[in-house]
Amino acid sequence: MTIDLVELNLPPIQPQLSRAGDDVFIFDDIRKKDILLTNEEWVRQHFISFLINQCGYPKGLISVEKGLLVNSLAKRSDILVYSSTGTPWLLVECKSYETTLNEETIYQALNYHLTLKVKYIIITNGMEHYCLKVNDNAFEYIDAVPAHE
């Protein structure tokens, strides 16, 4: 099986790839294990690297695919970054680079916000990135991903 490692609109990464039969895996340094490489995982690993290497977030403040309850339904956030005090700070919803970002994607992240109460929400497909700053219950688009404070 051939995996097309598409160049994203994010800094390139040096992934640790491995193979088991026809499956290709990428090592996730946050979860400390090999993860099946999908188009969405490719985007997620790039964005994790971006948060750490360009925005200065420590690995210890980043959680990947953390479970949460939204309206009594079990869900998973793609990337959740905590503040240094341990409260949810920044939520990243990742989609495949083949997925068009739309209102449904934004609503999914906003529903997660109802539980997590983050300050920032990012939606990305690796090609396009939308960043929202949360002010009470109002949302404002901002131009850049906030750096670690």
Side-chain angles (χ1 to χ4, degrees):
M1 178 169 150
T2 306
I3 298 292
D4 188 15
L5 303 179
V6 171
E7 185 176 328
L8 303 176
N9 184 19
L10 287 163
I13 62 173
Q14 299 298 317
Q16 291 179 283
L17 300 177
S18 60
R19 212 178 260 286
D22 288 341
D23 294 328
V24 176
F25 295 85
I26 187 167
F27 184 76
D28 181 324
D29 200 33
I30 303 297
R31 292 179 274 184
K32 300 292 186 203
K33 65 181 183 177
D34 288 326
I35 305 296
L36 182 66
L37 184 57
T38 62
N39 295 346
E40 183 176 316
E41 191 63 43
W42 185 242
V43 172
R44 185 171 19 251
Q45 291 305 316
H46 273 77
F47 214 89
I48 291 168
S49 176
F50 172 74
L51 289 171
I52 294 167
N53 297 312
Q54 272 67 42
C55 300
Y57 289 97
K59 289 179 190 176
L61 296 181
I62 299 173
S63 175
V64 178
E65 294 213 319
K66 178 152 180 78
L68 67 143
L69 283 176
V70 178
N71 297 326
S72 302
L73 298 173
K75 301 288 183 180
R76 288 179 191 243
S77 59
D78 283 317
I79 303 169
L80 183 59
V81 180
Y82 292 89
S83 70
S84 55
T85 62
T87 58
W89 169 255
L90 183 145
L91 171 69
V92 182
E93 180 59 31
C94 299
K95 297 296 180 189
S96 163
Y97 49 79
E98 296 174 323
T99 301
T100 301
L101 300 180
N102 56 29
E103 286 183 5
E104 185 179 322
T105 312
I106 294 170
Y107 289 139
Q108 179 183 1
L110 293 178
N111 276 328
Y112 293 175
H113 167 70
L114 293 174
T115 299
L116 297 169
K117 307 288 189 229
V118 293
K119 184 73 174 168
Y120 296 96
I121 300 170
I122 299 166
I123 300 138
T124 182
N125 64 5
M127 302 297 188
E128 296 180 289
H129 322 286
Y130 297 104
C131 189
L132 300 165
K133 182 177 183 182
V134 181
N135 293 313
D136 297 317
N137 286 325
F139 304 94
E140 161 192 4
Y141 282 97
I142 58 175
D143 293 332
V145 174
H148 177 65
E149 297 180 346

Short mmCIF file of all heavy atoms in Angstrom, two decimals, residues 64-110:
data_model
loop_
_atom_site.label_atom_id
_atom_site.label_comp_id
_atom_site.label_asym_id
_atom_site.label_seq_id
_atom_site.Cartn_x
_atom_site.Cartn_y
_atom_site.Cartn_z
N VAL A 64 -3.86 14.32 22.99
CA VAL A 64 -4.34 13.93 21.67
C VAL A 64 -5.46 12.91 21.81
O VAL A 64 -5.34 11.96 22.58
CB VAL A 64 -3.18 13.35 20.82
CG1 VAL A 64 -3.68 12.91 19.46
CG2 VAL A 64 -2.07 14.38 20.67
N GLU A 65 -6.54 13.16 21.10
CA GLU A 65 -7.73 12.30 21.10
C GLU A 65 -8.23 12.03 22.52
O GLU A 65 -8.50 10.89 22.89
CB GLU A 65 -7.47 11.01 20.32
CG GLU A 65 -7.26 11.28 18.85
CD GLU A 65 -7.77 10.16 17.96
OE1 GLU A 65 -7.57 8.98 18.29
OE2 GLU A 65 -8.36 10.50 16.92
N LYS A 66 -8.38 13.11 23.26
CA LYS A 66 -8.89 13.01 24.64
C LYS A 66 -10.40 12.84 24.60
O LYS A 66 -11.10 13.56 23.91
CB LYS A 66 -8.52 14.27 25.41
CG LYS A 66 -9.04 14.27 26.82
CD LYS A 66 -8.17 15.08 27.71
CE LYS A 66 -8.67 15.11 29.13
NZ LYS A 66 -8.36 13.91 29.86
N GLY A 67 -10.88 11.89 25.38
CA GLY A 67 -12.31 11.65 25.45
C GLY A 67 -13.04 12.75 26.21
O GLY A 67 -12.50 13.33 27.15
N LEU A 68 -14.27 13.03 25.78
CA LEU A 68 -15.10 14.00 26.48
C LEU A 68 -16.55 13.67 26.18
O LEU A 68 -16.86 12.95 25.23
CB LEU A 68 -14.77 15.43 26.05
CG LEU A 68 -15.08 15.84 24.62
CD1 LEU A 68 -15.57 17.28 24.60
CD2 LEU A 68 -13.83 15.77 23.78
N LEU A 69 -17.45 14.19 27.01
CA LEU A 69 -18.87 14.01 26.80
C LEU A 69 -19.47 15.30 26.27
O LEU A 69 -19.28 16.37 26.85
CB LEU A 69 -19.58 13.64 28.11
CG LEU A 69 -19.43 12.20 28.58
CD1 LEU A 69 -20.11 12.02 29.93
CD2 LEU A 69 -19.98 11.22 27.57
N VAL A 70 -20.20 15.18 25.15
CA VAL A 70 -20.90 16.32 24.56
C VAL A 70 -22.36 15.90 24.43
O VAL A 70 -22.69 14.97 23.69
CB VAL A 70 -20.33 16.70 23.18
CG1 VAL A 70 -21.11 17.84 22.57
CG2 VAL A 70 -18.85 17.05 23.29
N ASN A 71 -23.25 16.56 25.19
CA ASN A 71 -24.67 16.20 25.20
C ASN A 71 -24.87 14.70 25.45
O ASN A 71 -25.61 14.02 24.75
CB ASN A 71 -25.34 16.61 23.89
CG ASN A 71 -25.31 18.11 23.68
OD1 ASN A 71 -25.39 18.88 24.64
ND2 ASN A 71 -25.16 18.53 22.45
N SER A 72 -24.17 14.18 26.44
CA SER A 72 -24.22 12.77 26.85
C SER A 72 -23.65 11.80 25.81
O SER A 72 -23.81 10.59 25.95
CB SER A 72 -25.66 12.35 27.20
OG SER A 72 -26.17 13.17 28.21
N LEU A 73 -22.99 12.30 24.78
CA LEU A 73 -22.37 11.45 23.77
C LEU A 73 -20.86 11.45 23.95
O LEU A 73 -20.26 12.50 24.17
CB LEU A 73 -22.71 11.94 22.36
CG LEU A 73 -24.20 11.93 21.98
CD1 LEU A 73 -24.39 12.60 20.63
CD2 LEU A 73 -24.74 10.52 21.97
N ALA A 74 -20.25 10.27 23.86
CA ALA A 74 -18.80 10.17 23.97
C ALA A 74 -18.16 10.67 22.68
O ALA A 74 -18.50 10.21 21.59
CB ALA A 74 -18.39 8.73 24.24
N LYS A 75 -17.25 11.61 22.79
CA LYS A 75 -16.54 12.20 21.66
C LYS A 75 -15.06 12.23 21.99
O LYS A 75 -14.65 11.97 23.11
CB LYS A 75 -17.04 13.63 21.37
CG LYS A 75 -18.52 13.72 21.07
CD LYS A 75 -18.83 13.17 19.72
CE LYS A 75 -20.30 13.33 19.37
NZ LYS A 75 -20.62 12.80 18.08
N ARG A 76 -14.24 12.60 20.99
CA ARG A 76 -12.80 12.76 21.20
C ARG A 76 -12.33 14.05 20.55
O ARG A 76 -12.64 14.29 19.38
CB ARG A 76 -12.02 11.60 20.58
CG ARG A 76 -12.16 10.30 21.30
CD ARG A 76 -11.36 9.24 20.56
NE ARG A 76 -11.68 7.94 21.07
CZ ARG A 76 -10.81 7.16 21.68
NH1 ARG A 76 -9.57 7.52 21.81
NH2 ARG A 76 -11.18 5.99 22.12
N SER A 77 -11.60 14.83 21.30
CA SER A 77 -11.00 16.03 20.71
C SER A 77 -9.70 15.62 20.03
O SER A 77 -8.97 14.78 20.54
CB SER A 77 -10.74 17.08 21.79
OG SER A 77 -9.87 16.58 22.77
N ASP A 78 -9.43 16.19 18.86
CA ASP A 78 -8.20 15.83 18.14
C ASP A 78 -6.96 16.24 18.92
O ASP A 78 -6.12 15.42 19.24
CB ASP A 78 -8.18 16.47 16.75
CG ASP A 78 -9.08 15.73 15.78
OD1 ASP A 78 -9.07 14.49 15.79
OD2 ASP A 78 -9.80 16.39 15.02
N ILE A 79 -6.84 17.54 19.19
CA ILE A 79 -5.70 18.06 19.96
C ILE A 79 -6.26 19.04 20.98
O ILE A 79 -7.05 19.93 20.64
CB ILE A 79 -4.68 18.80 19.06
CG1 ILE A 79 -4.18 17.89 17.94
CG2 ILE A 79 -3.52 19.34 19.89
CD1 ILE A 79 -3.38 18.62 16.86
N LEU A 80 -5.87 18.86 22.22
CA LEU A 80 -6.27 19.77 23.28
C LEU A 80 -5.01 20.23 23.99
O LEU A 80 -4.21 19.40 24.43
CB LEU A 80 -7.22 19.07 24.26
CG LEU A 80 -7.79 19.92 25.38
CD1 LEU A 80 -8.58 21.11 24.84
CD2 LEU A 80 -8.67 19.07 26.30
N VAL A 81 -4.84 21.54 24.06
CA VAL A 81 -3.67 22.11 24.74
C VAL A 81 -4.16 22.75 26.03
O VAL A 81 -5.15 23.49 26.04
CB VAL A 81 -2.97 23.17 23.85
CG1 VAL A 81 -1.77 23.75 24.57
CG2 VAL A 81 -2.57 22.57 22.52
N TYR A 82 -3.45 22.46 27.11
CA TYR A 82 -3.81 23.00 28.42
C TYR A 82 -2.94 24.21 28.75
O TYR A 82 -1.81 24.32 28.28
CB TYR A 82 -3.61 21.92 29.50
CG TYR A 82 -4.58 20.78 29.37
CD1 TYR A 82 -4.29 19.68 28.57
CD2 TYR A 82 -5.80 20.82 30.03
CE1 TYR A 82 -5.19 18.64 28.44
CE2 TYR A 82 -6.71 19.78 29.91
CZ TYR A 82 -6.40 18.69 29.11
OH TYR A 82 -7.30 17.66 28.97
N SER A 83 -3.47 25.08 29.60
CA SER A 83 -2.68 26.19 30.12
C SER A 83 -1.71 25.63 31.16
O SER A 83 -1.83 24.48 31.58
CB SER A 83 -3.60 27.23 30.76
OG SER A 83 -4.14 26.71 31.97
N SER A 84 -0.79 26.45 31.60
CA SER A 84 0.16 26.00 32.62
C SER A 84 -0.52 25.72 33.95
O SER A 84 0.04 25.05 34.81
CB SER A 84 1.29 27.02 32.78
OG SER A 84 0.74 28.28 33.07
N THR A 85 -1.77 26.19 34.12
CA THR A 85 -2.52 25.90 35.34
C THR A 85 -3.38 24.65 35.20
O THR A 85 -4.08 24.28 36.14
CB THR A 85 -3.42 27.09 35.74
OG1 THR A 85 -4.37 27.32 34.69
CG2 THR A 85 -2.60 28.34 36.01
N GLY A 86 -3.36 24.01 34.02
CA GLY A 86 -4.06 22.75 33.83
C GLY A 86 -5.47 22.86 33.29
O GLY A 86 -6.19 21.87 33.24
N THR A 87 -5.90 24.06 32.91
CA THR A 87 -7.24 24.21 32.34
C THR A 87 -7.16 24.13 30.81
O THR A 87 -6.15 24.54 30.22
CB THR A 87 -7.88 25.56 32.75
OG1 THR A 87 -7.04 26.62 32.31
CG2 THR A 87 -8.08 25.63 34.25
N PRO A 88 -8.20 23.61 30.15
CA PRO A 88 -8.20 23.57 28.69
C PRO A 88 -8.02 24.98 28.12
O PRO A 88 -8.68 25.93 28.56
CB PRO A 88 -9.57 23.01 28.35
CG PRO A 88 -9.94 22.19 29.56
CD PRO A 88 -9.39 22.97 30.71
N TRP A 89 -7.11 25.13 27.15
CA TRP A 89 -6.72 26.44 26.63
C TRP A 89 -7.02 26.57 25.14
O TRP A 89 -7.58 27.54 24.69
CB TRP A 89 -5.23 26.63 26.91
CG TRP A 89 -4.57 27.77 26.24
CD1 TRP A 89 -3.73 27.73 25.17
CD2 TRP A 89 -4.66 29.15 26.60
NE1 TRP A 89 -3.32 28.99 24.83
CE2 TRP A 89 -3.87 29.89 25.70
CE3 TRP A 89 -5.36 29.84 27.58
CZ2 TRP A 89 -3.74 31.27 25.76
CZ3 TRP A 89 -5.22 31.22 27.65
CH2 TRP A 89 -4.42 31.91 26.74
N LEU A 90 -6.64 25.54 24.38
CA LEU A 90 -6.72 25.62 22.93
C LEU A 90 -7.16 24.26 22.38
O LEU A 90 -6.60 23.24 22.75
CB LEU A 90 -5.35 26.00 22.38
CG LEU A 90 -5.18 26.21 20.90
CD1 LEU A 90 -4.16 27.32 20.65
CD2 LEU A 90 -4.71 24.95 20.21
N LEU A 91 -8.18 24.28 21.55
CA LEU A 91 -8.73 23.07 20.94
C LEU A 91 -8.45 23.10 19.45
O LEU A 91 -8.69 24.11 18.79
CB LEU A 91 -10.24 23.01 21.18
CG LEU A 91 -11.02 21.93 20.43
CD1 LEU A 91 -10.66 20.55 20.97
CD2 LEU A 91 -12.51 22.19 20.56
N VAL A 92 -7.92 22.00 18.91
CA VAL A 92 -7.67 21.90 17.47
C VAL A 92 -8.48 20.75 16.93
O VAL A 92 -8.36 19.61 17.40
CB VAL A 92 -6.17 21.67 17.16
CG1 VAL A 92 -5.95 21.63 15.65
CG2 VAL A 92 -5.30 22.73 17.81
N GLU A 93 -9.33 21.04 15.96
CA GLU A 93 -10.10 20.01 15.26
C GLU A 93 -9.44 19.81 13.91
O GLU A 93 -9.35 20.73 13.10
CB GLU A 93 -11.56 20.45 15.11
CG GLU A 93 -12.43 19.46 14.40
CD GLU A 93 -12.48 18.10 15.09
OE1 GLU A 93 -12.38 18.01 16.33
OE2 GLU A 93 -12.63 17.10 14.36
N CYS A 94 -8.93 18.60 13.68
CA CYS A 94 -8.22 18.27 12.44
C CYS A 94 -9.12 17.47 11.52
O CYS A 94 -9.82 16.56 11.97
CB CYS A 94 -6.97 17.45 12.74
SG CYS A 94 -5.76 18.27 13.78
N LYS A 95 -9.03 17.78 10.26
CA LYS A 95 -9.71 17.03 9.21
C LYS A 95 -8.68 16.62 8.17
O LYS A 95 -7.58 17.18 8.11
CB LYS A 95 -10.81 17.88 8.55
CG LYS A 95 -11.92 18.29 9.49
CD LYS A 95 -12.68 17.08 9.97
CE LYS A 95 -13.80 17.44 10.93
NZ LYS A 95 -14.39 16.28 11.55
N SER A 96 -9.04 15.67 7.35
CA SER A 96 -8.18 15.25 6.26
C SER A 96 -7.94 16.43 5.32
O SER A 96 -8.81 17.29 5.15
CB SER A 96 -8.85 14.11 5.48
OG SER A 96 -8.24 13.94 4.22
N TYR A 97 -6.78 16.44 4.67
CA TYR A 97 -6.49 17.49 3.69
C TYR A 97 -7.44 17.42 2.50
O TYR A 97 -7.54 18.35 1.72
CB TYR A 97 -5.04 17.44 3.23
CG TYR A 97 -4.55 16.08 2.81
CD1 TYR A 97 -4.86 15.56 1.56
CD2 TYR A 97 -3.78 15.31 3.68
CE1 TYR A 97 -4.42 14.29 1.19
CE2 TYR A 97 -3.33 14.06 3.31
CZ TYR A 97 -3.65 13.56 2.06
OH TYR A 97 -3.22 12.31 1.70
N GLU A 98 -8.17 16.33 2.37
CA GLU A 98 -9.14 16.19 1.28
C GLU A 98 -10.53 16.71 1.68
O GLU A 98 -11.42 16.78 0.86
CB GLU A 98 -9.27 14.72 0.88
CG GLU A 98 -7.98 14.16 0.31
CD GLU A 98 -8.06 12.66 0.06
OE1 GLU A 98 -8.70 11.94 0.87
OE2 GLU A 98 -7.47 12.22 -0.94
N THR A 99 -10.70 17.08 2.95
CA THR A 99 -11.99 17.53 3.46
C THR A 99 -12.09 19.05 3.39
O THR A 99 -11.19 19.76 3.81
CB THR A 99 -12.17 17.08 4.93
OG1 THR A 99 -12.09 15.66 4.98
CG2 THR A 99 -13.50 17.54 5.50
N THR A 100 -13.19 19.52 2.85
CA THR A 100 -13.45 20.95 2.81
C THR A 100 -13.95 21.39 4.19
O THR A 100 -14.85 20.77 4.76
CB THR A 100 -14.52 21.28 1.76
OG1 THR A 100 -14.05 20.82 0.49
CG2 THR A 100 -14.79 22.77 1.69
N LEU A 101 -13.36 22.45 4.72
CA LEU A 101 -13.81 22.99 6.01
C LEU A 101 -15.09 23.78 5.76
O LEU A 101 -15.15 24.60 4.85
CB LEU A 101 -12.73 23.87 6.62
CG LEU A 101 -11.39 23.18 6.90
CD1 LEU A 101 -10.41 24.17 7.51
CD2 LEU A 101 -11.55 21.96 7.78
N ASN A 102 -16.09 23.53 6.60
CA ASN A 102 -17.38 24.19 6.42
C ASN A 102 -18.03 24.43 7.77
O ASN A 102 -17.41 24.21 8.81
CB ASN A 102 -18.28 23.36 5.50
CG ASN A 102 -18.47 21.94 6.02
OD1 ASN A 102 -18.42 21.69 7.22
ND2 ASN A 102 -18.68 20.99 5.11
N GLU A 103 -19.29 24.87 7.74
CA GLU A 103 -19.99 25.17 8.99
C GLU A 103 -20.10 23.94 9.89
O GLU A 103 -20.02 24.05 11.11
CB GLU A 103 -21.39 25.72 8.69
CG GLU A 103 -21.39 27.13 8.19
CD GLU A 103 -22.79 27.67 7.98
OE1 GLU A 103 -23.77 26.98 8.32
OE2 GLU A 103 -22.90 28.79 7.47
N GLU A 104 -20.29 22.77 9.30
CA GLU A 104 -20.40 21.54 10.10
C GLU A 104 -19.14 21.31 10.92
O GLU A 104 -19.20 20.92 12.09
CB GLU A 104 -20.66 20.36 9.16
CG GLU A 104 -20.91 19.05 9.90
CD GLU A 104 -21.19 17.91 8.92
OE1 GLU A 104 -21.86 18.12 7.90
OE2 GLU A 104 -20.70 16.80 9.21
N THR A 105 -17.98 21.56 10.31
CA THR A 105 -16.70 21.40 11.01
C THR A 105 -16.62 22.38 12.17
O THR A 105 -16.20 22.03 13.27
CB THR A 105 -15.53 21.65 10.04
OG1 THR A 105 -15.74 20.91 8.85
CG2 THR A 105 -14.21 21.26 10.66
N ILE A 106 -17.02 23.61 11.91
CA ILE A 106 -16.99 24.65 12.96
C ILE A 106 -17.95 24.28 14.09
O ILE A 106 -17.60 24.36 15.27
CB ILE A 106 -17.31 26.03 12.37
CG1 ILE A 106 -16.20 26.45 11.40
CG2 ILE A 106 -17.51 27.07 13.47
CD1 ILE A 106 -16.50 27.67 10.57
N TYR A 107 -19.16 23.83 13.74
CA TYR A 107 -20.13 23.44 14.77
C TYR A 107 -19.62 22.29 15.62
O TYR A 107 -19.87 22.25 16.83
CB TYR A 107 -21.48 23.10 14.16
CG TYR A 107 -22.23 24.30 13.62
CD1 TYR A 107 -22.92 24.23 12.42
CD2 TYR A 107 -22.24 25.50 14.31
CE1 TYR A 107 -23.59 25.34 11.92
CE2 TYR A 107 -22.91 26.61 13.83
CZ TYR A 107 -23.59 26.51 12.63
OH TYR A 107 -24.25 27.61 12.14
N GLN A 108 -18.92 21.34 15.01
CA GLN A 108 -18.36 20.23 15.78
C GLN A 108 -17.41 20.76 16.85
O GLN A 108 -17.50 20.39 18.02
CB GLN A 108 -17.62 19.27 14.85
CG GLN A 108 -16.99 18.11 15.57
CD GLN A 108 -16.20 17.18 14.64
OE1 GLN A 108 -16.10 17.42 13.45
NE2 GLN A 108 -15.64 16.14 15.21
N ALA A 109 -16.50 21.67 16.46
CA ALA A 109 -15.55 22.24 17.42
C ALA A 109 -16.27 23.08 18.47
O ALA A 109 -15.93 23.05 19.65
CB ALA A 109 -14.51 23.07 16.68
N LEU A 110 -17.30 23.83 18.05
CA LEU A 110 -18.04 24.65 19.01
C LEU A 110 -18.77 23.78 20.03
O LEU A 110 -18.87 24.14 21.20
CB LEU A 110 -19.01 25.59 18.29
CG LEU A 110 -18.37 26.68 17.43
CD1 LEU A 110 -19.44 27.50 16.73
CD2 LEU A 110 -17.45 27.57 18.24
#
